[in-house]
Amino acid sequence: MRSKPELLAPAGDLERLKIALLYGADAVYFGGPAFGLRANAINFTIEEMKEAADFAHHLQKKVYVTVNIVLHNKEAKELVSYLKEIEKTGIDAIIVSDPYVIKMAKENTNLEIHLSTQQSTLNYEAASYFYQEGVSRIVLGRECTKEEVKEIIEKVPVEIETFIHGAMCAGYSGRCVLSNFLTDRDANRGGCSQICRWDFKLLDENKKKLEGEKDFTLCSKDLSLLKYLPEMIDMGITSFKIEGRMRSIYYIATVVSVYRKVIDRYLKDKENYHYEEEEENILRNCANRDSVPQFFDDSYGEECSYYNGREEISNQDFLGIIKEYDSEKKEAVVEQRNYFKKGDRVEIFGPNHETIFYTISDILDSDGNLIDIVRHPRQIVRISIDSLLEPYDMIRIQK
């Protein structure tokens, strides 16, 4: 087992992969052109997998590829050639759920095999079985309590990966078929239409509508285990996983950087570690749903879901990303992501420096004209700032 846990982040494309790794992730996971569970993500071509592996390995970091759909007969025939093809790209492991994939990967490749959360592994007997089948790591079901995680770690000599942040399923993850029945989109083959987030009308036994404050939903709140990281580190968990291959670069950068800081701060000085409430606020501000510890602390009652409706407000905190910095002119080139203007109080954060607090002063458009407002999507502007900035640094509203 690792003395220092791995921080594992999602990557929906190459840009998000680079952001995740630069902002502190030790490894990333993504889907390939087939056999993955995110049909609506861009996913990676074989050539992009090679580029991703090269980029990560240059930083002494790792990449994992999802091969975790529920296989039908037609895919089973194509599996071996696909596994051999992605192995050539230099990826570090595959994440699987179907036992047949384990068998074929062992017989035809040297790929390291991680068991997906789609298998809903929640007990040590199941963990032991898959370990004996050749799985080197098990991504436990999100429904595990900390007592169950501890017992699995104590009884099975396999690497354990747990989710620490992101969306939750209203049922056992990977077991829902509501999407199949209501929209003919297979949730367990990458097409989930998230029926649990729909609004429903509640009817009594006479099919009369029950009036409530809002329509009924099955929607779960998000997961966040930031407060529990010290305890989880001491439990011996190998890898901490962040959910969100469909999330924005701002979300990934923010979540990865916060968890990176907390992990490192605790490991550096356990005796004097203290929890920073402000870091929790940063996480809350970059998302559009509330987050709770969910099953980990044995809480899975009504406080974990939005039964009576909820509002998911689009995040407007992310203002722009730094493309380059001119140290002679003391100007930063910014690609706009949300409306901002002269006089706004902002924070500039990045992987290699502390957060900078700044009031936006002079703004120049691409023609060198002074402007007061940046309102066009992905508009390229220059802002005057003395602080040395770097590509991939990000600007957000100061709270």
Side-chain angles (χ1 to χ4, degrees):
M1 298 296 179
R2 292 166 174 258
S3 57
K4 182 178 181 179
E6 173 187 85
L7 181 59
L8 176 59
D13 55 28
L14 276 170
E15 182 185 34
R16 282 176 273 193
L17 176 141
K18 292 176 181 179
I19 289 290
L21 293 174
L22 292 172
Y23 273 78
D26 299 301
V28 291
Y29 65 98
F30 53 82
F35 302 100
L37 261 178
R38 286 293 180 271
N40 296 323
I42 297 173
N43 292 324
F44 284 60
T45 65
I46 296 298
E47 293 74 20
E48 287 171 333
M49 280 192 199
K50 176 68 166 61
E51 183 178 345
D54 289 345
F55 183 87
H57 294 163
H58 178 73
L59 299 173
Q60 286 78 53
K61 300 186 177 187
K62 295 184 176 183
V63 294
Y64 310 139
V65 173
T66 56
V67 189
N68 60 345
I69 66 167
V70 177
L71 287 180
H72 288 226
N73 288 332
K74 61 181 180 180
E75 287 101 8
K77 297 174 183 177
E78 303 165 358
L79 176 66
V80 171
S81 60
Y82 178 72
L83 292 176
K84 289 181 177 179
E85 190 174 18
I86 64 175
E87 182 181 25
K88 294 176 183 176
T89 66
I91 63 169
D92 296 284
I94 53 174
I95 305 170
V96 312
S97 61
D98 194 314
Y100 176 69
V101 181
I102 299 173
K103 182 176 185 291
M104 290 296 99
K106 283 175 59 182
E107 292 179 359
N108 297 280
T109 75
N110 292 310
L111 287 166
E112 184 176 328
I113 304 168
H114 297 176
L115 188 69
S116 172
T117 190
Q118 295 301 119
Q119 189 55 239
S120 295
T121 306
L122 303 171
N123 64 81
Y124 64 84
E125 293 287 6
S128 179
Y129 168 78
F130 281 109
Y131 173 64
Q132 292 172 35
E133 288 297 301
V135 168
S136 63
R137 179 185 296 185
I138 295 176
V139 188
L140 295 180
R142 294 168 174 87
E143 299 78 21
C144 266
T145 65
K146 61 183 172 184
E147 288 76 18
E148 291 168 333
V149 177
K150 287 177 183 177
E151 189 169 17
I152 292 170
I153 291 173
E154 289 170 359
K155 294 187 175 182
V156 187
V158 67
E159 291 187 354
I160 293 299
E161 181 176 306
T162 60
F163 278 89
I164 56 169
H165 200 90
M168 293 286 290
C169 185
Y172 277 94
S173 300
R175 306 294 178 182
C176 180
V177 291
L178 283 174
S179 179
N180 304 55
F181 283 120
L182 296 180
T183 65
D184 199 27
R185 287 168 52 182
D186 194 334
N188 299 302
R189 293 166 60 77
C192 184
S193 52
Q194 297 187 326
I195 304 300
C196 57
R197 304 200 188 284
W198 290 14
D199 292 334
F200 294 92
K201 299 187 187 308
L202 282 181
L203 307 179
D204 64 15
E205 63 272 16
N206 299 313
K207 295 188 177 180
K208 180 181 178 181
K209 182 183 177 184
L210 296 172
E211 297 295 338
E213 183 182 337
K214 294 181 180 179
D215 288 337
F216 180 79
T217 76
L218 305 172
C219 180
S220 296
K221 294 179 181 178
D222 282 359
L223 169 72
S224 178
L225 293 174
L226 190 70
K227 286 184 178 179
Y228 294 85
L229 279 184
E231 183 178 358
M232 297 175 79
I233 291 171
D234 291 342
M235 285 167 58
I237 295 171
T238 302
S239 181
F240 295 144
K241 189 170 195 171
I242 297 166
E243 180 275 339
R245 276 188 277 159
M246 304 289 284
R247 300 277 195 167
S248 71
I249 60 170
Y250 173 63
Y251 177 91
I252 291 170
T254 302
V255 174
V256 168
S257 62
V258 169
Y259 277 93
R260 176 80 278 152
K261 288 175 183 176
V262 173
I263 291 170
D264 291 348
R265 192 168 72 247
Y266 178 68
L267 289 174
K268 184 178 180 180
D269 188 358
K270 291 186 178 183
E271 294 296 322
N272 296 303
Y273 170 82
H274 61 280
Y275 183 69
E276 297 282 357
E277 197 76 32
E278 178 56 29
E279 289 165 332
E280 185 177 326
N281 293 334
I282 291 171
L283 290 179
R284 187 180 297 114
N285 289 334
C286 82
N288 58 6
R289 285 191 292 269
D290 293 336
S291 59
V292 292
Q294 294 288 355
F295 292 85
F296 185 79
D297 70 346
D298 214 21
S299 297
Y300 34 84
E302 61 183 69
E303 70 277 7
C304 295
S305 297
Y306 293 104
Y307 293 121
N308 197 220
R310 83 285 179 209
E311 292 184 15
E312 295 187 7
I313 302 170
S314 291
N315 185 282
Q316 302 295 316
D317 288 350
F318 179 30
L319 302 182
I321 183 168
I322 304 300
K323 306 302 288 185
E324 60 181 270
Y325 182 76
D326 188 327
S327 55
E328 292 185 5
K329 294 182 179 180
K330 295 186 177 180
E331 289 180 345
V333 178
V334 180
E335 182 180 276
Q336 181 262 27
R337 294 300 174 92
N338 273 303
Y339 165 99
F340 65 90
K341 64 186 185 302
K342 183 175 180 178
D344 281 346
R345 289 287 298 165
V346 300
E347 300 174 5
I348 304 175
F349 70 104
N352 299 315
H353 60 78
E354 295 296 319
T355 299
I356 297 166
F357 299 92
Y358 173 68
T359 300
I360 294 178
S361 55
D362 291 340
I363 308 173
L364 298 172
D365 65 15
S366 56
D367 295 322
N369 300 312
L370 280 169
I371 58 175
D372 292 331
I373 301 171
V374 184
R375 57 163 60 96
H376 304 299
R378 293 185 181 257
Q379 183 177 358
I380 301 296
V381 297
R382 291 176 177 268
I383 62 171
S384 298
I385 181 168
D386 289 341
S387 302
L388 182 63
L389 304 180
E390 299 178 1
Y392 297 111
D393 284 354
M394 297 188 188
I395 307 175
R396 64 185 172 213
I397 285 287
Q398 184 178 333
K399 294 293 185 179

